[in-house]
Amino acid sequence: MKTALKILLFIFLICRINISAQEIPFDVILKKARLEIYDNPDNSIATAKSLLKKEKNIDKVIQIYIVLSTANIAKRDFDQSLQYILKAKELAQKSNDLKTQTSVLISVAIQYQQMELFSKSFETLNEADLYLAKLPDDLFEKHIETARSYAIRGMIYKSQSNSEIALEKFLISIKNFEKVNPKQSAYANMSVVYYNIGYCYLNLNQIDKAQEAFLQSVTYAQKNNAKSLEAFALKGMAEVYKQKRENKAALHLLIKAEDLCKNTQDLILNEGIYKEMADNYLAMGNQSLYQDYNKKHFEMRFKRQQNELKSINQAINNHNKETLKKSEELKTYYFRIKMLVIAFGTIIISVLFYFILKVKKQNRKYQKEIQELIRS
């Protein structure tokens, strides 16, 4: 009896070990990495890198690279972000999945937009449109990528102070995000778009509409539990209150935003929060706190500019490599054409030479026959 119990206990333990040893599905781990992109990008990067070590499937590796790129954008490390997204783009050329190819191109366009390489971003978006046109209209991914494409275009126009055009693009983006099912997969993106809509209305001096847009941004950020996105939206709300000269209310929101984004390492977000805090303390006549936050603002600004400079240098190097590669491909192409022309020319000359010799030979023969006839 004791022996039987021991055997049963052993089997039970083995079963437990086997159950615990089962691997967590790829999609579950990647989803976790995606959820942590904005609030804890370092965790997101660590999770994605652990997946990258053992994953061989091209489409899955591309998804991992996109997560790594996006998480580094969240940290404003554009150099690392660019390297990962270019790896994803290179792999996408080997994929037969239109959805993957489209998603990668949109992500590359986002990268260029973040680096303020707007012409490159538009060029990439136009390339992505060719793939988008081939996707079925009722496809989940088509709505997502169309919405992202219009959002990027809107951000570029907003950066160029074309708020009216930017608003048109953002509103089309929102319409496409609303078609996405399940809707929660679009909440983070909708928060970002409404945040940008808020600033467009601020630039157009439509304060009430700006406030409404920032409130929408907060709502969608909270639905997705995205603290950094909520912090961005609160910063926008604070600017509305600052314009209304309600500096205490603005500072209350900014302090909350500062607390929300303490783990994000987002240089642009921190820079913006510190600038707004400095402005509000200055308006309230608090010189000491104004000096403190103004100093923090310039420190963040310097770090961001250093990161951007590094990434732009990397982008220039990659552009030069692409140009050199295309140049080499053209040289090879024209060399082959030249060789074909030479070969074809040689064949034609050889054939002509053959017929010339044949005609000459026949002429000699006819001349000989004529001479013989004359003699006879």
Side-chain angles (χ1 to χ4, degrees), residues 230-359:
E230 186 181 350
F232 267 111
L234 291 172
K235 180 178 75 71
M237 286 283 292
E239 288 200 47
V240 170
Y241 283 114
K242 184 180 76 173
Q243 289 202 16
K244 291 179 177 181
R245 301 185 186 280
E246 297 177 25
N247 302 106
K248 284 187 178 179
L251 279 167
H252 174 74
L253 292 174
L254 289 166
I255 290 166
K256 185 178 178 182
E258 184 184 21
D259 183 60
L260 283 168
C261 71
K262 59 188 175 186
N263 293 323
T264 62
Q265 302 176 47
D266 189 324
L267 299 176
I268 289 179
L269 176 55
N270 285 316
E271 178 189 347
I273 289 171
Y274 294 146
K275 180 186 180 300
E276 287 303 308
M277 292 182 88
D279 288 351
N280 280 285
Y281 280 124
L282 182 64
M284 292 170 67
N286 192 328
Q287 284 292 327
S288 176
L289 287 173
Y290 162 72
Q291 293 289 344
D292 288 345
Y293 281 100
N294 200 41
K295 182 183 176 184
K296 287 182 179 181
H297 162 234
F298 279 109
E299 284 172 356
M300 287 295 155
R301 185 177 174 182
F302 178 75
K303 284 182 183 178
R304 175 180 59 80
Q305 289 173 339
Q306 290 299 108
N307 277 357
E308 287 175 357
L309 182 62
K310 187 179 175 184
S311 62
I312 288 168
N313 288 335
Q314 181 66 35
I316 291 168
N317 290 337
N318 282 308
H319 177 72
N320 290 339
K321 284 178 185 176
E322 284 179 14
T323 305
L324 183 62
K325 185 181 176 184
K326 286 177 183 177
S327 175
E328 292 297 324
E329 286 172 356
L330 282 172
K331 282 181 183 177
T332 304
Y333 172 75
Y334 284 118
F335 176 77
R336 286 174 180 169
I337 294 292
K338 185 179 176 182
M339 289 297 103
L340 282 171
V341 169
I342 291 170
F344 190 64
T346 304
I347 291 168
I348 291 173
I349 291 168
S350 299
V351 170
L352 286 172
F353 188 66
Y354 167 76
F355 280 112
I356 289 167
L357 287 175
K358 189 177 180 182
V359 169

Side-chain angles (χ1 to χ4, degrees), residues 95-323:
S95 172
N96 296 318
D97 189 345
L98 275 174
K99 293 180 290 185
T100 299
Q101 291 168 332
T102 306
S103 180
V104 168
L105 285 171
I106 298 288
S107 297
V108 171
I110 291 171
Q111 176 76 48
Y112 288 133
Q113 177 267 324
Q114 291 284 320
M115 294 165 65
E116 298 188 359
L117 300 172
F118 298 142
S119 60
K120 290 286 287 180
S121 187
F122 274 130
E123 181 187 322
T124 309
L125 286 172
N126 292 336
E127 189 181 348
D129 284 345
L130 300 176
Y131 290 93
L132 268 173
K134 296 175 184 176
L135 293 174
D137 291 336
D138 59 346
L139 196 67
F140 163 89
E141 286 82 3
K142 183 160 187 171
H143 298 312
I144 283 280
E145 301 307 341
T146 302
R148 290 210 300 159
S149 177
Y150 276 102
I152 300 160
R153 293 176 194 276
M155 288 176 195
I156 293 171
Y157 285 118
K158 176 173 144 301
S159 299
Q160 296 172 333
S161 300
N162 293 323
S163 295
E164 293 93 343
I165 300 174
L167 267 173
E168 288 176 17
K169 305 301 179 187
F170 287 138
L171 293 173
I172 295 171
S173 175
I174 288 293
K175 283 182 182 177
N176 278 278
F177 277 131
E178 285 173 347
K179 294 176 185 176
V180 172
N181 192 16
K183 290 194 179 297
Q184 57 264 35
S185 58
Y187 286 161
N189 286 312
M190 290 178 80
S191 176
V192 172
V193 175
Y194 272 116
Y195 167 80
N196 282 280
I197 287 173
Y199 273 100
C200 286
Y201 282 128
L202 268 184
N203 294 335
L204 295 168
N205 204 31
Q206 297 182 33
I207 305 298
D208 291 339
K209 285 187 176 180
Q211 186 167 353
E212 185 182 335
F214 288 129
L215 279 170
Q216 287 275 46
S217 181
V218 169
T219 300
Y220 282 110
Q222 288 174 341
K223 282 182 178 181
N224 205 59
N225 196 30
K227 293 179 182 178
S228 66
L229 296 182
E230 186 181 350
F232 267 111
L234 291 172
K235 180 178 75 71
M237 286 283 292
E239 288 200 47
V240 170
Y241 283 114
K242 184 180 76 173
Q243 289 202 16
K244 291 179 177 181
R245 301 185 186 280
E246 297 177 25
N247 302 106
K248 284 187 178 179
L251 279 167
H252 174 74
L253 292 174
L254 289 166
I255 290 166
K256 185 178 178 182
E258 184 184 21
D259 183 60
L260 283 168
C261 71
K262 59 188 175 186
N263 293 323
T264 62
Q265 302 176 47
D266 189 324
L267 299 176
I268 289 179
L269 176 55
N270 285 316
E271 178 189 347
I273 289 171
Y274 294 146
K275 180 186 180 300
E276 287 303 308
M277 292 182 88
D279 288 351
N280 280 285
Y281 280 124
L282 182 64
M284 292 170 67
N286 192 328
Q287 284 292 327
S288 176
L289 287 173
Y290 162 72
Q291 293 289 344
D292 288 345
Y293 281 100
N294 200 41
K295 182 183 176 184
K296 287 182 179 181
H297 162 234
F298 279 109
E299 284 172 356
M300 287 295 155
R301 185 177 174 182
F302 178 75
K303 284 182 183 178
R304 175 180 59 80
Q305 289 173 339
Q306 290 299 108
N307 277 357
E308 287 175 357
L309 182 62
K310 187 179 175 184
S311 62
I312 288 168
N313 288 335
Q314 181 66 35
I316 291 168
N317 290 337
N318 282 308
H319 177 72
N320 290 339
K321 284 178 185 176
E322 284 179 14
T323 305

